[in-house]
Structures are given as structure tokens and as C-alpha cells.
Amino acid sequence: MDDLDWETNRPAVFGAAYRLLGSVAEAEDVVQDVWLRACGADRSGVRDPRAWLVTIAARLAYNVLKSARVRREEYPGPWLPEPLLTGPDVADRVIVDDSVSTAMLLVMEELTPAERVAFVLHDVFDVPFAQVAGVLGGSAAAARKLASRARGRVADAREARPKASRAERERVLTAFRAAAEGGDIDRLVRLLHPDAVYVADGGGRAVASRRPITGADRIARLLVGVAARSRTDRVALVEVGGELALETRRDGRVVRVDTLEIADGRVTAFHRIANPDKLRHL
């Protein structure tokens, strides 16, 4: 495998699988399968090892993604992508851009599996459309159209959801954490956009609202109530998907990860991942 420089290209393999699946565990499974297939393949004609490995990952993830659609329709309550730690203290390097943020992964979740594959392979990893077509089983022209449609929807989402600076995120999250822990509903309401949306993923394994909650006052009261009932060790700022988020621990274990969308100094969307199956890798 030395000729493929696996350690150098592994972050791209994992990054492609994670963007397609929104699951750390499933992405790691894909990485292992790519390794095994690459070891047993004839690599004499491989000119671009990174593109070749990423394409194998996409083909495997594409099959998983099509079956995952059915599973997610049966999922108990809202589904959110698994949080991916990305800060400077993370041992395994991953390729990070805004396409691994919770907000963008949720946008890509609305794409068809084929659109998602075309966008991730071509727009994120620069894989030629001829190779994308090989994964999707169509023509290069069809793959180009799929990527174009996906690109338009992602661009619309980016325009509608301007990205807050790291300094603004840190300021808002620090104030938000203090207000929630202090039971300051009025302060939370001021930090939340009036039309903010709260979505929680408990997966039927943790107590969580089965439907989105809208409105600053309702969200603030919910968060204060949960904080008052919870016996937690600490709530810390961590980097998830390239953006600062809040991580809650109890008895040394991660029990919640909250990713927030922020615009003009206020929280517009609050995503809480409480499903223990999605937090085990943390």
C-alpha cells in the first residue's frame, strides 16, 4: 500500500465517506473496506491515488446511503448527523471545510444520493466527471447535471445561512452556556432569534423532543428546564465539523453535543444530538 501513501490519503477517504453518510461509525467502516479492497487490487494503472481511493469510498458509501434513506424514514424522531470533532487536539486529521458542518450536512441530506455523490466527489474532491459517472452508473454529462443541481441547492443554503465568524460564535456560545446554566430565560430569549428552531436527536435512546420546537421563549424555557434537571460534570466549547459547539459530559461521558447556527449575534437554529449511539466515538 506504500505506493498509495495510505496515511496521507486516509483523511480524504474518511472525509468523502463522512460527507456522504453523516455518520462517523459508517464512514470508518467504509475506510476499512477501502483499505482491504485497495490492498487486493491491481494498482499498476493508478495515476492519482487520492482520486482512486476517494472514488472507491464513494462507491461503497453510495450503496450504504441508498439503504440509509429507508432507515432514516423509520428513525424515531428527527435525524441529525453524528458530530465530528475537528479541533487542533484531534489525533486523526480530517479534511475540514463548511461541508462537514451540521448545517451543510443537513442540506446535503435533502439531496438525492446521486446528487450528493456527484457534488462531494467533484466539487469537494475534484474527481473528474468521468470517474463520478463510473460510481453512479451513468454518463459524464449526467453526472455533471447532478452536481450542478446539488451545487445550486448548496449555494442557496450558504446564501441564506451566512456563516458567523469564530469570534462571534465563541462570544454567543459562551453567553448562551452561561445563561442556560444560570437559568436566565430572559437572557436566552435575547440570544435566540424570535423564529429560532430547536431540533433534538435522541434516536429513541435518550429523552428528546420528537418534533422541532420553534420560538425563542419556548426554546429558552426548554433548555433551562433540561439544564436544571440534568446532573452534568461540565459544558465545554469544542470544535465540531469545523465550528465551535457545546459538549456536555456526565460522569466523564459525552451525553449531548449542541451545534448552533448563528447570524447577527443570535442563534437561528439549535441542533442537539443526545442519541448515545452517535456519541460513543467521542
Side-chain angles (χ1 to χ4, degrees), residues 188-271:
L188 280 176
V189 169
R190 291 195 297 273
L191 287 167
L192 286 157
H193 188 279
D195 298 322
V197 178
Y198 168 96
V199 178
D201 179 345
R205 305 263 285 113
V207 177
S209 173
R210 292 293 186 97
R211 294 183 180 181
I213 296 172
T214 304
D217 186 72
R218 294 179 66 199
I219 296 172
R221 293 182 183 281
L222 171 68
L223 292 174
V224 167
V226 171
R229 293 190 300 270
S230 298
R231 180 182 58 82
T232 58
D233 300 336
R234 66 186 180 98
V235 179
L237 268 65
V238 295
E239 187 178 299
V240 172
E243 296 182 341
L244 288 177
L246 296 173
E247 175 193 83
T248 302
R249 288 181 176 264
R250 180 189 303 132
D251 299 328
R253 294 183 300 106
V254 179
V255 293
R256 290 193 295 270
V257 170
D258 301 326
T259 59
L260 286 66
E261 293 181 41
I262 298 169
D264 298 325
R266 292 196 292 185
V267 176
T268 58
F270 188 107
H271 300 118

Side-chain angles (χ1 to χ4, degrees), residues 52-271:
W52 184 69
L53 290 167
V54 166
T55 302
I56 296 174
R59 184 175 291 110
L60 294 168
Y62 184 40
N63 293 331
V64 176
L65 185 60
K66 287 184 287 187
S67 63
R69 287 298 174 113
V70 176
R71 296 199 308 272
R72 287 171 192 173
E73 288 176 0
E74 302 170 350
Y75 193 78
W79 178 93
L80 293 172
E82 288 183 20
L84 175 66
L85 290 180
T86 55
D89 296 330
V90 178
D92 293 331
R93 296 295 90 202
V94 293
I95 296 173
V96 177
D97 59 19
D98 74 340
S99 65
V100 294
S101 70
T102 299
M104 281 298 108
L105 287 173
L106 288 173
V107 171
M108 289 198 286
E109 187 69 14
E110 298 174 359
L111 306 175
T112 67
E115 288 172 341
R116 194 163 178 169
V117 168
F119 175 79
V120 169
L121 277 182
H122 182 266
D123 284 45
V124 179
F125 291 98
D126 297 319
V127 174
F129 281 121
Q131 288 179 245
V132 178
V135 174
L136 299 177
S139 66
R144 186 177 289 107
K145 288 181 180 178
L146 288 167
S148 178
R149 284 203 299 267
R151 189 181 308 122
R153 295 181 68 175
V154 170
D156 289 344
R158 283 174 174 153
E159 184 177 352
R161 298 168 172 171
K163 188 175 180 179
S165 68
R166 185 178 181 89
E168 182 182 14
R169 290 190 68 83
E170 184 171 4
R171 178 182 61 80
V172 172
L173 264 65
T174 300
F176 203 92
R177 175 181 59 181
E181 291 180 330
D184 190 342
I185 291 177
D186 291 339
R187 177 62 173 151
L188 280 176
V189 169
R190 291 195 297 273
L191 287 167
L192 286 157
H193 188 279
D195 298 322
V197 178
Y198 168 96
V199 178
D201 179 345
R205 305 263 285 113
V207 177
S209 173
R210 292 293 186 97
R211 294 183 180 181
I213 296 172
T214 304
D217 186 72
R218 294 179 66 199
I219 296 172
R221 293 182 183 281
L222 171 68
L223 292 174
V224 167
V226 171
R229 293 190 300 270
S230 298
R231 180 182 58 82
T232 58
D233 300 336
R234 66 186 180 98
V235 179
L237 268 65
V238 295
E239 187 178 299
V240 172
E243 296 182 341
L244 288 177
L246 296 173
E247 175 193 83
T248 302
R249 288 181 176 264
R250 180 189 303 132
D251 299 328
R253 294 183 300 106
V254 179
V255 293
R256 290 193 295 270
V257 170
D258 301 326
T259 59
L260 286 66
E261 293 181 41
I262 298 169
D264 298 325
R266 292 196 292 185
V267 176
T268 58
F270 188 107
H271 300 118

Side-chain angles (χ1 to χ4, degrees), residues 10-43:
R10 186 189 185 283
V13 174
F14 175 84
Y18 177 73
R19 285 168 174 84
L20 289 171
L21 300 171
S23 166
V24 173
E26 290 179 336
E28 289 290 3
D29 288 342
V30 167
V31 169
Q32 292 302 314
D33 284 347
V34 171
W35 163 263
L36 293 173
R37 293 184 184 224
C39 284
D42 177 6
R43 305 192 296 274

